[in-house]
């Protein structure tokens, strides 16, 4: 069974902390994505990567960075967490660029206090 | 990002009835459309997709209709079941740009 695994289901952090959200896929996909999901706003793209060492900003990259050292792993970093970054974070991967038939992880619900 | 919107944020249907979930898009360059289902506590799961050179595509109990003239996408679910209760998202893209998602519609099935 193909899988996108996010390291934490729930995470509670304090304002100003550096936060790492890890994502691993076992499908040998080139393309990986980080979305943020908030009630009433749908899924919004934070960053994406179409190749190892490559990263592109999405629609809402401010306050975030990413790391893609290995093909299967795509990490989202909150340099200095703020309360407005409390959200559900979804990682996804796809075989094709652009994200056709994205496979999603189960999400990480992050609370910043 | 581009606007991918929904006509109805919530939809309640009787078990056994057909459901229709609508989605409007604004980018006439979009050439790929997809529907996802998200159950509580899970990530979105692929349901069905369609390319702009088609106007209808059918899957198991689901049909996607694309009307490019009015930039409208719909998902039809036949004989809706309790297990269909979820939030449904439409998304679009063009070329290799990342998918742009709509805000979602919550479908509630009444037994």
């Amino acid at each position: 069974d193909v899988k996108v695994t996010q390291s934490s289901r729930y995470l509670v952090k304090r304002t100003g902390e550096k936060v790492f959200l890890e994502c691993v896929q076992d499908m040998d996909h080139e393309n990986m994505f980080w979305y943020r999901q908030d009630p009433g706003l749908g899924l919004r793209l934070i960053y994406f990567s179409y190749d190892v060492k490559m990263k592109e900003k999405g629609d809402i990259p401010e306050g975030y960075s990413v790391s893609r050292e290995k093909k299967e792993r795509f990490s989202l970093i909150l340099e200095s967490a703020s309360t407005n970054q409390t959200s559900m974070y979804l990682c996804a991967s796809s075989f094709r660029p652009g994200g056709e038939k994205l496979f999603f992880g189960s999400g990480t619900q992050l609370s910043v206090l | 990002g581009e606007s991918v919107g929904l006509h109805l944020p919530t939809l309640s249907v009787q078990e056994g009835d057909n459901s229709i979930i609508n989605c409007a898009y604004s980018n006439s360059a979009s050439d790929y459309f997809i529907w996802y289902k998200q159950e509580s506590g899970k990530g979105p799961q692929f349901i069905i997709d369609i390319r702009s050179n088609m106007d209808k595509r059918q899957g198991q109990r689901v049909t996607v209709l694309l009307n490019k003239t009015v930039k409208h996408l719909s998902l039809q679910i036949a004989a809706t079941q309790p297990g269909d209760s979820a939030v449904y998202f439409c998304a679009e893209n063009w070329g290799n740009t990342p998918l742009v998602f709509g805000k979602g519609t919550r479908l509630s099935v009444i037994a």
Side-chain angles (χ1 to χ4, degrees):
Chain A
D1 217 11
V2 296
K3 258 193 162 175
V4 177
T5 302
Q6 294 183 230
S7 55
S8 303
R9 184 72 182 92
Y10 299 96
L11 213 50
V12 180
K13 296 292 181 181
R14 296 210 173 272
T15 303
E17 278 193 79
K18 189 169 186 176
V19 182
F20 293 85
L21 302 183
E22 307 287 348
C23 176
V24 177
Q25 50 95 3
D26 65 359
M27 294 168 279
D28 202 34
H29 286 165
E30 297 284 350
N31 312 292
M32 296 189 74
F33 306 80
W34 275 105
Y35 286 88
R36 167 178 175 158
Q37 182 175 17
D38 299 287
L41 297 178
L43 278 68
R44 293 180 291 166
L45 182 65
I46 306 172
Y47 267 95
F48 62 101
S49 169
Y50 286 174
D51 197 358
V52 175
K53 303 288 186 180
M54 176 269 191
K55 54 191 177 186
E56 290 282 346
K57 294 179 180 179
D59 298 319
I60 52 165
E62 295 78 20
Y64 304 95
S65 63
V66 290
S67 172
R68 184 112 185 255
E69 296 292 326
K70 293 185 177 181
K71 188 177 185 180
E72 67 272 17
R73 187 179 297 269
F74 192 36
S75 302
L76 180 69
I77 304 158
L78 286 66
E79 296 291 341
S80 177
S82 63
T83 54
N84 63 13
Q85 292 179 308
T86 291
S87 186
M88 171 67 79
Y89 290 89
L90 289 162
C91 175
S93 72
S94 70
F95 175 67
R96 296 182 187 275
E100 291 182 16
K101 293 183 182 174
L102 281 175
F103 290 87
F104 281 90
S106 296
T108 295
Q109 179 62 52
L110 172 67
S111 297
V112 182
L113 306 178
Chain B
E2 296 295 328
S3 168
V4 180
L6 293 164
H7 293 310
L8 293 172
T10 60
L11 178 66
S12 294
V13 298
Q14 288 290 139
E15 182 178 356
D17 287 353
N18 296 335
S19 302
I20 300 176
I21 302 170
N22 296 303
C23 182
Y25 65 95
S26 61
N27 191 340
S28 57
S30 292
D31 58 10
Y32 177 78
F33 304 87
I34 190 168
W35 282 97
Y36 280 89
K37 172 186 180 182
Q38 186 177 26
E39 297 174 276
S40 182
K42 297 183 180 180
Q45 290 182 295
F46 168 81
I47 304 173
I48 192 167
D49 58 357
I50 189 168
R51 294 198 176 279
S52 58
N53 60 352
M54 302 172 69
D55 52 22
K56 180 179 180 179
R57 193 167 186 215
Q58 287 185 285
Q60 189 176 10
R61 279 202 309 119
V62 294
T63 301
V64 56
L65 298 176
L66 175 63
N67 185 329
K68 295 179 287 293
T69 303
V70 295
K71 299 194 192 78
H72 186 266
L73 187 71
S74 68
L75 176 71
Q76 299 179 0
I77 304 173
T80 311
Q81 301 168 0
D84 295 326
S85 293
V87 176
Y88 290 81
F89 292 98
C90 63
E92 60 172 320
N93 78 344
W94 52 100
N96 288 339
T97 62
L99 285 171
V100 175
F101 283 81
K103 293 176 173 51
T105 294
R106 182 174 297 280
L107 175 65
S108 295
V109 180
I110 304 164

